[in-house]
Amino acid sequence: MTGDQHTQVVIVGGGQSGLAAGYHLRRLGLDFVILDAQAEPGGAWQHAWDSLHLFSPAAYSSLPGRPMPLQAGETYPDAGHVVAYLTEYERRYEFPVQRPVRVSGVHQDGRFLRVETDSGSWHARAVISATGTWWRPFLPAVPGRADFRGQQLHTVEYRNPRNFAGQRVVVVGGGNSGAQIAADLAYNTELTWVTQRPPSFLPDDIDGRALFNVATARRRALDEGRTDTGGVASLGDIVAVPPVRETRDAGLLKASPMFVRLERDGVVWADGTRAQADAVIWCTGFRPALSHLAPLQLRGRRGHIATVGTRAVDEPRLHLLGYGDWTGPASATLIGVGRPARDAAREIAALLAV
Ligand code: FAD
């Protein structure tokens, strides 16, 4: 579709965060459209590696209004189950999702925000940006990266261990992605797992449920003006999901410290020790995908957009949803995005009522 269209709210991104926002805007009777760059529903979950499972059971992984069904035979649902759930969710509520539509820029335009896309532009009274992080993989600036002749890939490009059978593989990263991908590769590659600091596993009986409870307790404390109870990071970095636990207990998940540089055929540590490698997999995280907001010039000196809750301080018609603790505790999780989505929708309804 081309041309200039109007709506009250444009939601940029049709993953779980965009859908949660749609749910609450609908409840408040606001008119909106969801513009999503993917051809199919499911956001980033469509691109997950084959063995990825949620770190919470289905009952702790639901968006507002519609519980995630159990997946037969799985305590922790897989990514395909999440995609099916999100697909059913947006169809059930008949959300006005347009895809594939990529938003190139959000601009101030008098009393409207103008949303430019690859299929026309929209004028809206408010915009919710819910574009996630998967689309902006982060790679650290390690010396020699360009010299390495083997294969280098980021978490977003990893699929399964088949392509690496028998190879010498270095997995970089001490978070959940690094631990899970290292566990995936541990049985049929010559694995070196490197982490910046010694890996910190959460206790085996703690999964996403407990993480959500900690984040909720923290939010309550902050809302009530009490002392910060600390975020989930205080518990550890890695959820010991079953494959990680099994591989660790089999003694196959031992981490080395971070190397200091790459060279033609491998990696080198500070003491001069070398390991040859056929592939390096960077499980080194993501950054919020915010290039479409550049025209608004909201980034401060440290590159951050200042927010109060989900609202941009310098552009109150813009809300940011689902990028992590930055826009609300646990807001990058399925169960955690509901509350900030509700708050954003309420603030927008109040703004439009003026
Ligand atoms: P996304 O799923 O990335 O959706 C954003 C959508 O916006 C995409 O469809 C994208 O194409 C679109 N988009 C981006 N830019 C534009 C643009 N310019 N114009 C139009 N559309 C655009 N959470 C849990 O609750 N439990 C878990 O177990 C869990 N495990 C995780 C494991 C990994 C490895 C990762 C990376 C995350 C995990 N998360 C988990 C966190 C979270 O649930 C996911 O990151 C989730 O995909 C975030 O949803 P989102 O809607 O914010 O972003």
Side-chain angles (χ1 to χ4, degrees), residues 13 15-17 36-38 43-45 54-55 101 103 131-132 135 332-334:
Q16 63 199 39
S17 302
D36 185 38
Q38 300 295 289
W45 294 105
L54 292 180
F55 47 70
V101 175
V103 172
T131 47
W135 326 97
T333 63
L334 283 152

Side-chain angles (χ1 to χ4, degrees), residues 16 19-20 23-24 27 57-70 81-95 334-335 337-338:
Q16 63 199 39
L19 299 186
Y23 175 88
H24 283 292
R27 287 197 78 180
Y60 274 74
S61 305
S62 300
L63 293 178
R66 168 90 180 117
M68 179 184 282
L70 295 176
H81 188 72
V82 182
V83 171
Y85 168 68
L86 296 178
T87 305
E88 199 271 335
Y89 188 91
E90 68 174 58
R91 293 203 176 131
R92 175 191 174 91
Y93 291 111
E94 297 181 344
F95 286 147
L334 283 152
I335 192 173
V337 72

Side-chain angles (χ1 to χ4, degrees), residues 4-12 25 31-33 35 106-116 121-128 315 317-318 348 351-352:
D4 212 17
Q5 301 175 76
H6 280 73
T7 184
Q8 286 181 304
V9 187
V10 167
I11 300 172
V12 187
L25 291 175
D31 185 38
F32 66 94
V33 65
L35 307 177
V106 179
H107 304 257
Q108 279 152 351
D109 194 348
R111 48 192 291 269
F112 295 101
L113 290 172
R114 193 177 75 254
V115 179
E116 297 286 355
S121 61
W122 288 81
H123 280 82
R125 297 282 310 281
V127 167
I128 297 179
E315 175 45 89
R317 298 171 293 182
L318 174 69
I348 289 172
L351 178 84
L352 299 195

Side-chain angles (χ1 to χ4, degrees), residues 8-346:
Q8 286 181 304
V9 187
V10 167
I11 300 172
V12 187
Q16 63 199 39
S17 302
L19 299 186
Y23 175 88
H24 283 292
L25 291 175
R26 168 73 55 79
R27 287 197 78 180
L28 293 171
L30 297 183
D31 185 38
F32 66 94
V33 65
I34 300 176
L35 307 177
D36 185 38
Q38 300 295 289
E40 303 287 336
W45 294 105
Q46 297 170 77
H47 305 279
W49 62 89
D50 295 353
S51 67
L52 178 66
H53 283 66
L54 292 180
F55 47 70
S56 315
Y60 274 74
S61 305
S62 300
L63 293 178
R66 168 90 180 117
M68 179 184 282
L70 295 176
Q71 182 176 16
E74 303 280 0
T75 306
Y76 300 96
D78 64 21
H81 188 72
V82 182
V83 171
Y85 168 68
L86 296 178
T87 305
E88 199 271 335
Y89 188 91
E90 68 174 58
R91 293 203 176 131
R92 175 191 174 91
Y93 291 111
E94 297 181 344
F95 286 147
V97 189
Q98 299 201 2
R99 57 166 70 93
V101 175
R102 178 167 295 280
V103 172
S104 51
V106 179
H107 304 257
Q108 279 152 351
D109 194 348
R111 48 192 291 269
F112 295 101
L113 290 172
R114 193 177 75 254
V115 179
E116 297 286 355
T117 82
D118 55 8
S119 32
S121 61
W122 288 81
H123 280 82
R125 297 282 310 281
V127 167
I128 297 179
S129 182
T131 47
T133 58
W134 186 261
W135 326 97
R136 223 183 125 206
F138 172 75
L139 278 99
V142 178
R145 225 172 61 199
D147 302 331
F148 181 62
R149 290 282 164 260
Q151 195 187 353
Q152 287 189 69
L153 56 161
H154 185 273
T155 310
V156 298
E157 294 154 310
Y158 176 76
R159 286 290 155 269
N160 59 56
R162 282 197 296 279
N163 297 338
F164 301 95
Q167 292 189 15
R168 297 159 300 185
V169 183
V170 177
V171 173
V172 185
N176 285 301
S177 314
Q180 288 190 27
I181 290 177
D184 216 22
L185 291 161
Y187 291 93
N188 55 3
T189 67
E190 221 176 278
L191 171 72
T192 306
W193 180 33
V194 303
T195 59
Q196 233 161 9
R197 51 177 198 261
S200 163
F201 293 94
L202 278 88
D204 288 1
D205 57 342
I206 290 197
D207 62 16
R209 285 172 281 202
L211 296 180
F212 179 70
N213 291 339
V214 169
T216 306
R218 181 186 203 195
R219 189 193 61 223
R220 280 215 188 98
L222 294 175
D223 285 354
E224 291 164 13
R226 289 185 280 120
T227 316
D228 190 347
T229 53
V232 292
S234 58
L235 291 176
D237 297 327
I238 301 165
V239 182
V241 291
V244 167
R245 194 157 64 220
E246 282 153 26
T247 316
R248 181 201 61 193
D249 292 349
L252 295 171
L253 214 48
K254 300 234 165 65
S256 305
M258 182 62 191
F259 50 82
V260 289
R261 64 171 200 277
L262 289 103
E263 54 186 13
R264 209 181 150 77
D265 60 355
V267 300
V268 187
W269 279 270
D271 65 0
T273 310
R274 294 180 147 71
Q276 294 200 321
D278 302 302
V280 176
I281 305 180
W282 299 95
C283 304
T284 42
F286 306 86
R287 298 288 181 265
L290 298 176
S291 59
H292 57 292
L293 301 179
L296 295 173
Q297 298 187 317
L298 298 174
R299 282 179 185 271
R301 255 181 302 147
R302 301 174 105 202
H304 273 291
I305 297 179
T307 49
V308 176
T310 58
R311 176 169 40 84
V313 171
D314 296 324
E315 175 45 89
R317 298 171 293 182
L318 174 69
H319 288 256
L320 296 109
L321 190 61
Y323 299 103
D325 281 356
W326 175 40
T327 56
S331 73
T333 63
L334 283 152
I335 192 173
V337 72
R339 183 175 158 136
R342 185 198 66 192
D343 294 347
R346 283 183 181 165

